[in-house]
Amino acid sequence: EEKEEEEEEEEEENQRCCSMTNLRAAFIHIALIVTSAAYILIGAFIFVHLERPYEVAERERILQQMDRLMQDLLSNVSDPSLTEEEKGWLVDDYTEDIFALIDTPHGSHIFESHFSNSTENKDMWTLSSAVLFTSTTVIPVGYGYITPISPVSRLFVVIYGIFGIPLVLVTMADAGKFMSNFITQFFTSLTIPTMIFLSLLAVYPIVGGIFFHMITEMTLMDAIYFSLISIFTIGFGDLAPSVNVIYLVLFIVLGVILVTITIDFVAAELIDHIHYMGRHVGKARELASKMFNLAQNLKMNRGLTVGMTQLHSLARFGLLSKLDESALKAPRVHLTFEPSLDDMDFMDCGASRDMRASKLSLYNI
């Protein structure tokens, strides 16, 4: 009875230790996710605080300069002494100056909001746009829809990226590792999970493209293209769909995690095959060397004809594997991720059980 009580207490202690380990692991996963989300939100608030004053000042400057250019053009064109050719030159100069003003993110935004959409004072740095900026900075996709212009903000974005990029990448890698471990526990090899994630990676941008096509004015091809350059962190920024920031950030995060897991599975599968082949090629090379040494010994002792005949018999019946006693005594171990090599016949696979039972001597054939 005392022994049973001790065993029960030991089992309870092991369960408590296991529970504590699981709680610590879950706490680490949750802490990484919460820290990354807080880092993105706090960074968004800081960028809004730093950039809004510069955005307002830049907007006033560009609007005043556009108004001045317009007034100068109207006053100059109204001069009756100018010829039509000179008036055309003035219009060309005005157009060139306008294009120079709007050849910046802030200038293009002001031109679009004030002249194309007839909207007054449409802010560029809002909380949602700042969240998109910080998210695509630390992931990193980097669309370039908005960029900091103040020296303080540009210095801060460097520091922000130095600490934020490793944090978010570690978080996504941790989430991907958790998902891959959960999937692989149901399979005995990596082949099936690899095919599953490859299929998901092929379907995911198409589904995302259909979704973006339905909620925006993008064509289906443009939406799929936008999905691909987003999840592969290319982010040209040539397309700017009107998508809710939360949807877009979640789509990017899940897509990048999926890409990371798929690459990890494919790389593991390929590396395992390469290592497997490398080990067996090395063994085959070693056995070939033994075959040549044996041929030389037989040639010197019994003559070339007899030596080559016996060597052919040894190779045909697989008895050359007796040179490696450890291979005879050790059972055949099937690797978990061992690739199929039906078309290759390696000598180190071991002779059959019947051949090993015959106990033929190597030099008494």
Side-chain angles (χ1 to χ4, degrees), residues 293-307:
N293 292 334
L294 179 59
Q296 292 294 331
N297 292 333
L298 292 174
K299 178 180 177 182
M300 289 185 295
N301 294 334
R302 293 189 171 185
L304 179 60
T305 303
V306 178

Side-chain angles (χ1 to χ4, degrees), residues 5-49:
E5 291 179 357
E6 292 178 356
E7 292 179 353
E8 291 178 356
E9 291 178 357
E10 184 177 357
E11 184 177 356
E12 291 178 356
E13 183 66 24
N14 292 333
Q15 291 179 354
R16 283 195 297 269
C17 292
C18 184
S19 299
M20 291 298 297
T21 302
N22 294 333
L23 286 175
R24 284 195 296 268
F27 175 77
I28 293 174
H29 296 320
I30 297 173
L32 281 173
I33 295 174
V34 172
T35 303
S36 298
Y39 191 83
I40 291 173
L41 289 174
I42 293 173
F45 279 108
I46 293 175
F47 277 109
V48 170
H49 176 73

Side-chain angles (χ1 to χ4, degrees), residues 254-272:
L254 293 177
V256 172
I257 292 175
L258 179 59
V259 171
T260 304
I261 296 174
T262 305
I263 293 175
D264 186 43
F265 271 113
V266 173
E269 185 78 3
L270 291 176
I271 291 172
D272 186 76

Side-chain angles (χ1 to χ4, degrees), residues 73-279:
L73 176 65
L74 293 176
S75 62
N76 292 329
V77 169
S78 61
D79 188 355
S81 62
L82 295 177
T83 63
E84 292 297 329
E85 185 178 2
E86 291 175 337
K87 292 179 181 180
W89 290 344
L90 290 175
V91 172
D92 291 339
D93 292 339
Y94 169 79
T95 304
E96 184 178 351
D97 293 336
I98 290 294
F99 276 113
L101 280 177
I102 66 176
D103 192 23
T104 60
H106 283 78
S108 60
H109 175 75
I110 292 169
F111 180 80
E112 180 182 1
S113 60
H114 281 263
F115 297 98
S116 298
N117 298 330
S118 300
T119 304
E120 293 291 336
N121 298 331
K122 184 178 179 181
D123 293 332
M124 190 174 182
W125 280 95
T126 61
L127 181 59
S128 59
S129 63
V131 168
L132 180 61
F133 171 76
T134 53
S135 300
T136 54
T137 298
V138 297
I139 287 180
V141 179
Y143 291 123
Y145 297 149
I146 56 174
T147 55
I149 61 172
S150 65
V152 177
S153 296
R154 290 182 173 180
L155 177 61
F156 179 71
V157 77
V158 174
I159 301 173
Y160 184 81
I162 289 175
F163 292 98
I165 291 175
L167 172 64
V168 174
L169 291 182
V170 167
T171 302
M172 291 192 297
D174 178 73
K177 188 67 175 177
F178 175 79
M179 293 174 60
S180 63
N181 288 339
F182 178 78
I183 295 295
T184 53
Q185 69 179 346
F186 300 104
F187 303 96
T188 58
S189 69
L190 288 178
T191 303
I192 297 178
T194 301
M195 297 305 298
I196 291 175
F197 280 103
L198 280 173
S199 301
L200 289 175
L201 184 60
V203 172
Y204 187 79
I206 298 176
V207 175
I210 294 173
F211 174 74
F212 292 140
H213 171 66
M214 294 174 60
I215 65 175
T216 64
E217 296 180 355
M218 288 193 301
T219 63
L220 181 60
M221 186 60 66
D222 287 343
I224 295 175
Y225 164 78
F226 175 78
S227 301
L228 284 171
I229 65 173
S230 297
I231 65 175
F232 283 101
T233 66
I234 299 173
F236 290 125
D238 51 344
L239 295 176
S242 300
V243 183
N244 187 285
V245 173
I246 296 177
Y247 296 157
L248 185 56
V249 171
L250 286 177
F251 174 78
I252 294 172
V253 170
L254 293 177
V256 172
I257 292 175
L258 179 59
V259 171
T260 304
I261 296 174
T262 305
I263 293 175
D264 186 43
F265 271 113
V266 173
E269 185 78 3
L270 291 176
I271 291 172
D272 186 76
H273 277 69
I274 292 171
H275 286 179
Y276 182 83
M277 290 293 297
R279 289 192 298 269

Side-chain angles (χ1 to χ4, degrees), residues 272-323:
D272 186 76
H273 277 69
I274 292 171
H275 286 179
Y276 182 83
M277 290 293 297
R279 289 192 298 269
H280 284 77
V281 168
K283 292 179 182 179
R285 190 176 299 169
E286 181 181 354
L287 289 172
S289 177
K290 292 180 181 180
M291 288 177 65
F292 282 113
N293 292 334
L294 179 59
Q296 292 294 331
N297 292 333
L298 292 174
K299 178 180 177 182
M300 289 185 295
N301 294 334
R302 293 189 171 185
L304 179 60
T305 303
V306 178
M308 292 305 296
T309 302
Q310 293 194 4
L311 185 61
H312 176 71
S313 301
L314 289 171
R316 184 177 59 186
F317 290 104
L319 296 179
L320 191 61
S321 60
K322 287 178 173 290
L323 294 173

